[in-house]
Short mmCIF file of all heavy atoms in Angstrom, two decimals:
data_model
loop_
_atom_site.label_atom_id
_atom_site.label_comp_id
_atom_site.label_asym_id
_atom_site.label_seq_id
_atom_site.Cartn_x
_atom_site.Cartn_y
_atom_site.Cartn_z
N ALA A 137 115.72 69.44 58.58
CA ALA A 137 117.00 69.84 58.01
C ALA A 137 118.14 69.62 58.99
O ALA A 137 119.15 69.03 58.68
CB ALA A 137 116.99 71.22 57.52
N VAL A 138 117.85 70.02 60.27
CA VAL A 138 118.93 69.90 61.30
C VAL A 138 119.21 68.37 61.48
O VAL A 138 120.36 67.96 61.58
CB VAL A 138 118.53 70.56 62.59
CG1 VAL A 138 119.39 70.19 63.71
CG2 VAL A 138 118.53 72.08 62.40
N ALA A 139 118.08 67.63 61.57
CA ALA A 139 118.28 66.20 61.79
C ALA A 139 119.05 65.56 60.64
O ALA A 139 119.87 64.66 60.84
CB ALA A 139 116.91 65.50 61.95
N ALA A 140 118.76 66.07 59.46
CA ALA A 140 119.47 65.47 58.26
C ALA A 140 120.98 65.81 58.34
O ALA A 140 121.77 65.02 57.97
CB ALA A 140 118.79 66.05 57.01
N VAL A 141 121.26 67.06 58.72
CA VAL A 141 122.68 67.48 58.74
C VAL A 141 123.38 66.96 59.94
O VAL A 141 124.51 66.38 59.85
CB VAL A 141 122.78 69.01 58.67
CG1 VAL A 141 124.16 69.47 58.77
CG2 VAL A 141 122.13 69.49 57.34
N LEU A 142 122.84 67.14 61.17
CA LEU A 142 123.51 66.83 62.40
C LEU A 142 123.08 65.48 62.92
O LEU A 142 123.65 65.03 63.95
CB LEU A 142 123.28 67.93 63.45
CG LEU A 142 123.69 69.34 63.11
CD1 LEU A 142 123.20 70.27 64.14
CD2 LEU A 142 125.17 69.45 62.86
N GLY A 143 122.04 64.87 62.34
CA GLY A 143 121.51 63.69 62.88
C GLY A 143 120.50 63.99 63.97
O GLY A 143 120.44 65.15 64.44
N GLY A 144 119.67 62.94 64.30
CA GLY A 144 118.63 63.21 65.33
C GLY A 144 119.17 63.42 66.72
O GLY A 144 120.37 63.74 66.87
N GLY A 145 118.43 63.14 67.65
CA GLY A 145 118.94 63.30 69.07
C GLY A 145 118.31 64.49 69.70
O GLY A 145 118.02 65.44 69.09
N VAL A 146 118.15 64.34 70.97
CA VAL A 146 117.39 65.38 71.72
C VAL A 146 118.12 66.66 71.66
O VAL A 146 117.53 67.74 71.58
CB VAL A 146 117.12 64.90 73.15
CG1 VAL A 146 118.29 64.98 74.10
CG2 VAL A 146 115.92 65.71 73.71
N HIS A 147 119.45 66.76 71.73
CA HIS A 147 120.20 67.94 71.67
C HIS A 147 119.94 68.68 70.40
O HIS A 147 119.76 69.98 70.39
CB HIS A 147 121.65 67.66 71.83
CG HIS A 147 122.03 67.27 73.24
ND1 HIS A 147 122.36 65.98 73.55
CD2 HIS A 147 122.06 67.91 74.35
CE1 HIS A 147 122.61 65.83 74.83
NE2 HIS A 147 122.38 67.02 75.33
N ASN A 148 119.90 68.01 69.28
CA ASN A 148 119.73 68.64 68.00
C ASN A 148 118.28 69.15 67.87
O ASN A 148 118.05 70.19 67.24
CB ASN A 148 120.13 67.72 66.88
CG ASN A 148 121.64 67.55 66.83
OD1 ASN A 148 122.35 68.39 67.32
ND2 ASN A 148 122.10 66.47 66.28
N ALA A 149 117.39 68.39 68.44
CA ALA A 149 115.94 68.91 68.41
C ALA A 149 115.86 70.16 69.15
O ALA A 149 115.21 71.12 68.71
CB ALA A 149 115.03 67.83 69.03
N ILE A 150 116.50 70.23 70.36
CA ILE A 150 116.45 71.47 71.11
C ILE A 150 117.11 72.60 70.34
O ILE A 150 116.58 73.75 70.34
CB ILE A 150 117.15 71.22 72.46
CG1 ILE A 150 116.34 70.33 73.39
CG2 ILE A 150 117.37 72.52 73.21
CD1 ILE A 150 116.91 69.97 74.67
N PHE A 151 118.25 72.27 69.78
CA PHE A 151 118.94 73.31 68.92
C PHE A 151 118.04 73.85 67.80
O PHE A 151 117.92 75.08 67.60
CB PHE A 151 120.20 72.63 68.34
CG PHE A 151 120.94 73.58 67.41
CD1 PHE A 151 121.70 74.61 67.91
CD2 PHE A 151 120.84 73.37 65.98
CE1 PHE A 151 122.32 75.48 67.07
CE2 PHE A 151 121.50 74.21 65.17
CZ PHE A 151 122.26 75.26 65.72
N ALA A 152 117.35 72.96 67.15
CA ALA A 152 116.48 73.38 66.09
C ALA A 152 115.36 74.22 66.58
O ALA A 152 114.99 75.30 66.01
CB ALA A 152 115.85 72.17 65.33
N LEU A 153 114.79 73.82 67.72
CA LEU A 153 113.66 74.65 68.29
C LEU A 153 114.10 76.03 68.73
O LEU A 153 113.49 77.03 68.53
CB LEU A 153 113.03 73.88 69.44
CG LEU A 153 112.17 72.69 69.08
CD1 LEU A 153 111.59 71.99 70.29
CD2 LEU A 153 110.99 73.18 68.25
N ALA A 154 115.37 76.04 69.36
CA ALA A 154 115.89 77.30 69.77
C ALA A 154 116.12 78.26 68.62
O ALA A 154 115.81 79.44 68.66
CB ALA A 154 117.22 77.09 70.56
N ALA A 155 116.66 77.71 67.52
CA ALA A 155 116.96 78.52 66.34
C ALA A 155 115.81 79.16 65.77
O ALA A 155 115.78 80.28 65.28
CB ALA A 155 117.70 77.67 65.31
N ILE A 156 114.58 78.45 65.81
CA ILE A 156 113.46 79.10 65.19
C ILE A 156 112.61 79.83 66.14
O ILE A 156 111.64 80.51 65.73
CB ILE A 156 112.58 78.02 64.41
CG1 ILE A 156 112.17 77.00 65.38
CG2 ILE A 156 113.27 77.55 63.25
CD1 ILE A 156 111.11 76.07 64.84
N SER A 157 112.90 79.74 67.45
CA SER A 157 111.98 80.43 68.41
C SER A 157 112.51 81.73 69.04
O SER A 157 111.74 82.53 69.52
CB SER A 157 111.70 79.46 69.55
OG SER A 157 111.42 78.23 69.11
N TRP A 158 113.86 81.94 68.94
CA TRP A 158 114.31 83.23 69.59
C TRP A 158 113.82 84.50 68.91
O TRP A 158 113.67 85.51 69.52
CB TRP A 158 115.86 83.20 69.63
CG TRP A 158 116.56 83.29 68.31
CD1 TRP A 158 116.96 82.29 67.55
CD2 TRP A 158 116.96 84.49 67.62
NE1 TRP A 158 117.64 82.76 66.37
CE2 TRP A 158 117.49 84.12 66.41
CE3 TRP A 158 116.77 85.92 67.84
CZ2 TRP A 158 117.99 85.00 65.47
CZ3 TRP A 158 117.25 86.78 66.94
CH2 TRP A 158 117.88 86.34 65.78
N PRO A 159 113.53 84.44 67.55
CA PRO A 159 113.13 85.78 66.97
C PRO A 159 111.83 86.34 67.51
O PRO A 159 111.69 87.54 67.62
CB PRO A 159 112.88 85.34 65.48
CG PRO A 159 113.72 84.22 65.23
CD PRO A 159 113.71 83.39 66.50
N LYS A 160 110.96 85.45 68.05
CA LYS A 160 109.73 85.98 68.64
C LYS A 160 110.08 86.95 69.87
O LYS A 160 109.50 88.00 69.98
CB LYS A 160 108.93 84.78 69.16
CG LYS A 160 107.69 85.16 69.90
CD LYS A 160 106.77 84.00 70.00
CE LYS A 160 107.27 82.88 70.79
NZ LYS A 160 106.37 81.70 70.87
N TYR A 161 111.04 86.50 70.61
CA TYR A 161 111.45 87.34 71.80
C TYR A 161 112.16 88.61 71.38
O TYR A 161 112.06 89.64 71.91
CB TYR A 161 112.30 86.46 72.79
CG TYR A 161 111.54 85.39 73.40
CD1 TYR A 161 111.42 84.13 72.85
CD2 TYR A 161 110.83 85.61 74.53
CE1 TYR A 161 110.66 83.17 73.44
CE2 TYR A 161 110.00 84.66 75.18
CZ TYR A 161 109.95 83.46 74.56
OH TYR A 161 109.22 82.48 75.14
N ALA A 162 112.98 88.41 70.29
CA ALA A 162 113.71 89.59 69.86
C ALA A 162 112.76 90.59 69.35
O ALA A 162 112.82 91.83 69.63
CB ALA A 162 114.63 89.19 68.67
N ARG A 163 111.65 90.21 68.59
CA ARG A 163 110.66 91.21 68.09
C ARG A 163 109.94 91.85 69.24
O ARG A 163 109.79 93.03 69.32
CB ARG A 163 109.67 90.45 67.20
CG ARG A 163 110.27 89.94 65.96
CD ARG A 163 109.22 89.55 64.94
NE ARG A 163 109.85 89.67 63.68
CZ ARG A 163 109.88 90.80 63.01
NH1 ARG A 163 109.19 91.87 63.44
NH2 ARG A 163 110.42 90.89 61.86
N LEU A 164 109.51 90.99 70.13
CA LEU A 164 108.73 91.52 71.31
C LEU A 164 109.55 92.56 72.04
O LEU A 164 109.06 93.67 72.36
CB LEU A 164 108.26 90.37 72.19
CG LEU A 164 107.55 90.82 73.45
CD1 LEU A 164 106.22 91.34 73.07
CD2 LEU A 164 107.38 89.62 74.38
N SER A 165 110.78 92.16 72.45
CA SER A 165 111.51 93.05 73.27
C SER A 165 112.00 94.29 72.52
O SER A 165 112.09 95.36 73.14
CB SER A 165 112.75 92.35 73.95
OG SER A 165 113.74 92.21 73.01
N ARG A 166 112.19 94.13 71.28
CA ARG A 166 112.52 95.33 70.47
C ARG A 166 111.36 96.32 70.46
O ARG A 166 111.67 97.51 70.78
CB ARG A 166 112.88 94.91 69.06
CG ARG A 166 113.18 96.05 68.13
CD ARG A 166 113.65 95.61 66.73
NE ARG A 166 113.83 96.64 65.85
CZ ARG A 166 112.84 97.22 65.10
NH1 ARG A 166 111.63 96.81 65.25
NH2 ARG A 166 113.13 98.26 64.30
N SER A 167 110.12 95.84 70.16
CA SER A 167 109.07 96.89 70.06
C SER A 167 108.81 97.44 71.47
O SER A 167 108.52 98.62 71.60
CB SER A 167 107.83 96.13 69.54
OG SER A 167 107.31 95.23 70.43
N GLN A 168 108.95 96.64 72.51
CA GLN A 168 108.63 97.10 73.82
C GLN A 168 109.74 98.14 74.24
O GLN A 168 109.42 99.18 74.84
CB GLN A 168 108.71 95.97 74.84
CG GLN A 168 107.61 95.00 74.78
CD GLN A 168 106.34 95.42 75.50
OE1 GLN A 168 106.39 96.12 76.46
NE2 GLN A 168 105.18 95.03 75.00
N THR A 169 110.96 97.85 73.87
CA THR A 169 112.04 98.77 74.21
C THR A 169 111.89 100.09 73.49
O THR A 169 112.09 101.15 74.04
CB THR A 169 113.44 98.19 73.89
OG1 THR A 169 113.56 96.89 74.53
CG2 THR A 169 114.57 99.02 74.35
N LEU A 170 111.48 100.01 72.18
CA LEU A 170 111.28 101.26 71.40
C LEU A 170 110.15 102.12 72.07
O LEU A 170 110.28 103.29 72.23
CB LEU A 170 110.92 100.94 70.00
CG LEU A 170 112.05 100.47 69.06
CD1 LEU A 170 111.50 100.09 67.77
CD2 LEU A 170 113.11 101.55 68.99
N ALA A 171 109.09 101.45 72.49
CA ALA A 171 108.02 102.16 73.10
C ALA A 171 108.40 102.85 74.40
O ALA A 171 108.20 104.03 74.65
CB ALA A 171 106.79 101.19 73.45
N ILE A 172 109.18 102.10 75.22
CA ILE A 172 109.69 102.65 76.48
C ILE A 172 110.62 103.78 76.20
O ILE A 172 110.55 104.79 76.92
CB ILE A 172 110.29 101.58 77.38
CG1 ILE A 172 109.34 100.44 77.78
CG2 ILE A 172 111.04 102.12 78.52
CD1 ILE A 172 108.43 100.85 78.85
N SER A 173 111.52 103.59 75.22
CA SER A 173 112.55 104.65 75.02
C SER A 173 111.97 105.96 74.63
O SER A 173 112.60 107.01 74.76
CB SER A 173 113.50 104.13 73.99
OG SER A 173 114.05 102.91 74.36
N ALA A 174 110.72 105.96 74.09
CA ALA A 174 110.16 107.28 73.63
C ALA A 174 109.49 107.97 74.85
O ALA A 174 109.11 109.06 74.61
CB ALA A 174 109.08 106.93 72.54
N LEU A 175 109.43 107.42 76.00
CA LEU A 175 108.76 108.01 77.04
C LEU A 175 109.65 109.03 77.78
O LEU A 175 110.86 108.81 77.76
CB LEU A 175 108.25 107.03 78.10
CG LEU A 175 107.07 106.07 77.55
CD1 LEU A 175 106.82 104.96 78.60
CD2 LEU A 175 105.90 106.90 77.28
N PRO A 176 109.07 110.12 78.28
CA PRO A 176 109.84 111.12 78.86
C PRO A 176 110.76 110.64 80.06
O PRO A 176 111.80 111.21 80.25
CB PRO A 176 108.89 112.14 79.37
CG PRO A 176 107.64 111.87 78.59
CD PRO A 176 107.65 110.51 78.24
N PHE A 177 110.35 109.63 80.78
CA PHE A 177 111.16 109.22 81.93
C PHE A 177 112.57 108.76 81.50
O PHE A 177 113.48 108.80 82.23
CB PHE A 177 110.43 108.31 82.88
CG PHE A 177 110.24 106.88 82.43
CD1 PHE A 177 111.34 105.98 82.40
CD2 PHE A 177 108.99 106.47 82.03
CE1 PHE A 177 111.14 104.69 82.01
CE2 PHE A 177 108.77 105.11 81.62
CZ PHE A 177 109.89 104.31 81.61
N MET A 178 112.57 108.22 80.27
CA MET A 178 113.95 107.76 79.79
C MET A 178 114.84 109.04 79.57
O MET A 178 115.98 108.98 79.84
CB MET A 178 113.78 107.00 78.49
CG MET A 178 113.16 105.63 78.66
SD MET A 178 114.34 104.47 79.45
CE MET A 178 115.35 104.02 78.06
N GLN A 179 114.19 110.09 79.02
CA GLN A 179 114.95 111.25 78.84
C GLN A 179 115.37 111.94 80.13
O GLN A 179 116.46 112.46 80.21
CB GLN A 179 114.11 112.30 77.95
CG GLN A 179 113.70 111.58 76.65
CD GLN A 179 112.87 112.50 75.75
OE1 GLN A 179 112.37 113.52 76.18
NE2 GLN A 179 112.71 112.09 74.50
N ALA A 180 114.45 111.84 81.03
CA ALA A 180 114.70 112.42 82.34
C ALA A 180 115.92 111.69 83.02
O ALA A 180 116.73 112.24 83.61
CB ALA A 180 113.47 112.38 83.29
N ALA A 181 115.87 110.37 82.88
CA ALA A 181 116.96 109.57 83.44
C ALA A 181 118.29 109.87 82.76
O ALA A 181 119.34 109.94 83.30
CB ALA A 181 116.68 108.06 83.24
N ARG A 182 118.21 110.15 81.39
CA ARG A 182 119.43 110.56 80.69
C ARG A 182 119.98 111.82 81.24
O ARG A 182 121.19 112.02 81.40
CB ARG A 182 119.09 110.58 79.27
CG ARG A 182 120.14 109.83 78.53
CD ARG A 182 119.90 109.53 77.13
NE ARG A 182 120.14 110.66 76.30
CZ ARG A 182 119.89 110.76 75.01
NH1 ARG A 182 119.35 109.62 74.43
NH2 ARG A 182 120.13 111.74 74.30
N MET A 183 119.01 112.82 81.52
CA MET A 183 119.50 114.08 82.08
C MET A 183 119.94 113.91 83.47
O MET A 183 120.73 114.75 83.99
CB MET A 183 118.37 115.08 81.91
CG MET A 183 118.00 115.44 80.51
SD MET A 183 117.15 116.98 80.32
CE MET A 183 118.43 118.16 80.47
N GLY A 184 119.56 112.80 84.13
CA GLY A 184 120.08 112.50 85.49
C GLY A 184 121.48 111.87 85.36
O GLY A 184 121.99 111.49 86.41
N GLY A 185 122.03 111.73 84.21
CA GLY A 185 123.38 111.27 84.10
C GLY A 185 123.55 109.76 83.80
O GLY A 185 124.61 109.20 83.97
N CYS A 186 122.43 109.08 83.45
CA CYS A 186 122.55 107.62 83.18
C CYS A 186 123.22 107.45 81.87
O CYS A 186 122.81 108.09 80.81
CB CYS A 186 121.20 107.00 83.17
SG CYS A 186 120.43 106.89 84.78
N GLY A 187 124.12 106.46 81.77
CA GLY A 187 124.65 106.04 80.49
C GLY A 187 123.67 105.03 79.83
O GLY A 187 122.69 104.62 80.43
N SER A 188 124.02 104.49 78.64
CA SER A 188 123.09 103.63 77.92
C SER A 188 122.88 102.38 78.74
O SER A 188 121.73 101.89 78.74
CB SER A 188 123.77 103.21 76.56
OG SER A 188 123.91 104.40 75.83
N LEU A 189 123.96 101.74 79.32
CA LEU A 189 123.77 100.50 80.01
C LEU A 189 122.91 100.74 81.27
O LEU A 189 122.04 99.83 81.57
CB LEU A 189 125.10 99.99 80.38
CG LEU A 189 125.84 99.06 79.35
CD1 LEU A 189 127.13 98.55 79.90
CD2 LEU A 189 124.91 97.92 78.97
N GLN A 190 123.16 101.83 81.94
CA GLN A 190 122.35 102.08 83.13
C GLN A 190 120.86 102.24 82.77
O GLN A 190 120.04 101.79 83.43
CB GLN A 190 122.82 103.33 83.85
CG GLN A 190 124.11 103.09 84.63
CD GLN A 190 124.69 104.44 85.08
OE1 GLN A 190 124.71 105.41 84.35
NE2 GLN A 190 125.12 104.44 86.32
N LEU A 191 120.64 102.96 81.60
CA LEU A 191 119.24 103.18 81.15
C LEU A 191 118.57 101.77 80.94
O LEU A 191 117.44 101.55 81.38
CB LEU A 191 119.19 103.94 79.91
CG LEU A 191 119.38 105.45 79.97
CD1 LEU A 191 119.31 106.08 78.61
CD2 LEU A 191 118.20 105.97 80.83
N VAL A 192 119.26 100.92 80.24
CA VAL A 192 118.68 99.62 79.96
C VAL A 192 118.50 98.83 81.20
O VAL A 192 117.44 98.24 81.50
CB VAL A 192 119.58 98.83 78.98
CG1 VAL A 192 119.16 97.36 78.87
CG2 VAL A 192 119.54 99.48 77.62
N TRP A 193 119.48 98.80 82.07
CA TRP A 193 119.36 97.93 83.31
C TRP A 193 118.37 98.44 84.27
O TRP A 193 117.60 97.65 84.85
CB TRP A 193 120.79 97.91 83.89
CG TRP A 193 120.82 97.02 85.12
CD1 TRP A 193 121.05 97.49 86.38
CD2 TRP A 193 120.72 95.60 85.22
NE1 TRP A 193 121.00 96.40 87.24
CE2 TRP A 193 120.82 95.27 86.57
CE3 TRP A 193 120.49 94.61 84.22
CZ2 TRP A 193 120.75 93.91 86.96
CZ3 TRP A 193 120.41 93.31 84.65
CH2 TRP A 193 120.51 93.00 85.99
N ARG A 194 118.30 99.76 84.46
CA ARG A 194 117.37 100.28 85.49
C ARG A 194 115.99 100.61 85.00
O ARG A 194 115.06 100.48 85.77
CB ARG A 194 117.98 101.58 86.09
CG ARG A 194 119.32 101.40 86.80
CD ARG A 194 119.67 102.86 87.24
NE ARG A 194 121.01 102.90 87.82
CZ ARG A 194 121.62 104.09 88.09
NH1 ARG A 194 120.96 105.19 87.79
NH2 ARG A 194 122.82 103.99 88.54
N HIS A 195 115.88 101.03 83.76
CA HIS A 195 114.56 101.47 83.31
C HIS A 195 113.93 100.60 82.23
O HIS A 195 112.70 100.36 82.32
CB HIS A 195 114.68 102.94 82.83
CG HIS A 195 115.11 103.90 83.89
ND1 HIS A 195 114.20 104.33 84.86
CD2 HIS A 195 116.25 104.48 84.21
CE1 HIS A 195 114.82 105.21 85.70
NE2 HIS A 195 116.14 105.26 85.29
N VAL A 196 114.79 100.11 81.31
CA VAL A 196 114.11 99.33 80.25
C VAL A 196 113.82 97.95 80.68
O VAL A 196 112.66 97.55 80.69
CB VAL A 196 115.08 99.25 79.04
CG1 VAL A 196 114.49 98.34 77.94
CG2 VAL A 196 115.28 100.61 78.41
N LEU A 197 114.76 97.24 81.24
CA LEU A 197 114.51 95.85 81.68
C LEU A 197 113.36 95.65 82.59
O LEU A 197 112.44 94.82 82.33
CB LEU A 197 115.83 95.26 82.25
CG LEU A 197 116.79 94.60 81.23
CD1 LEU A 197 117.97 93.99 81.98
CD2 LEU A 197 116.01 93.48 80.51
N PRO A 198 113.28 96.40 83.72
CA PRO A 198 112.17 96.25 84.61
C PRO A 198 110.82 96.49 83.92
O PRO A 198 109.83 95.83 84.32
CB PRO A 198 112.37 97.25 85.72
CG PRO A 198 113.83 97.57 85.66
CD PRO A 198 114.20 97.43 84.26
#
Side-chain angles (χ1 to χ4, degrees):
Chain A
V138 168
V141 175
L142 302 175
V146 77
H147 288 106
N148 289 335
I150 290 175
F151 174 76
L153 285 178
I156 56 169
S157 313
W158 69 268
K160 177 163 61 179
Y161 293 90
R163 295 193 151 274
L164 177 68
S165 77
R166 178 176 175 275
S167 69
Q168 294 275 332
T169 307
L170 284 177
I172 294 286
S173 299
L175 291 175
F177 72 76
M178 289 288 281
Q179 303 179 345
R182 230 166 77 181
M183 293 199 80
C186 289
S188 296
L189 273 180
Q190 285 171 316
L191 278 180
V192 168
W193 181 248
R194 295 183 188 166
H195 297 284
V196 174
L197 271 181

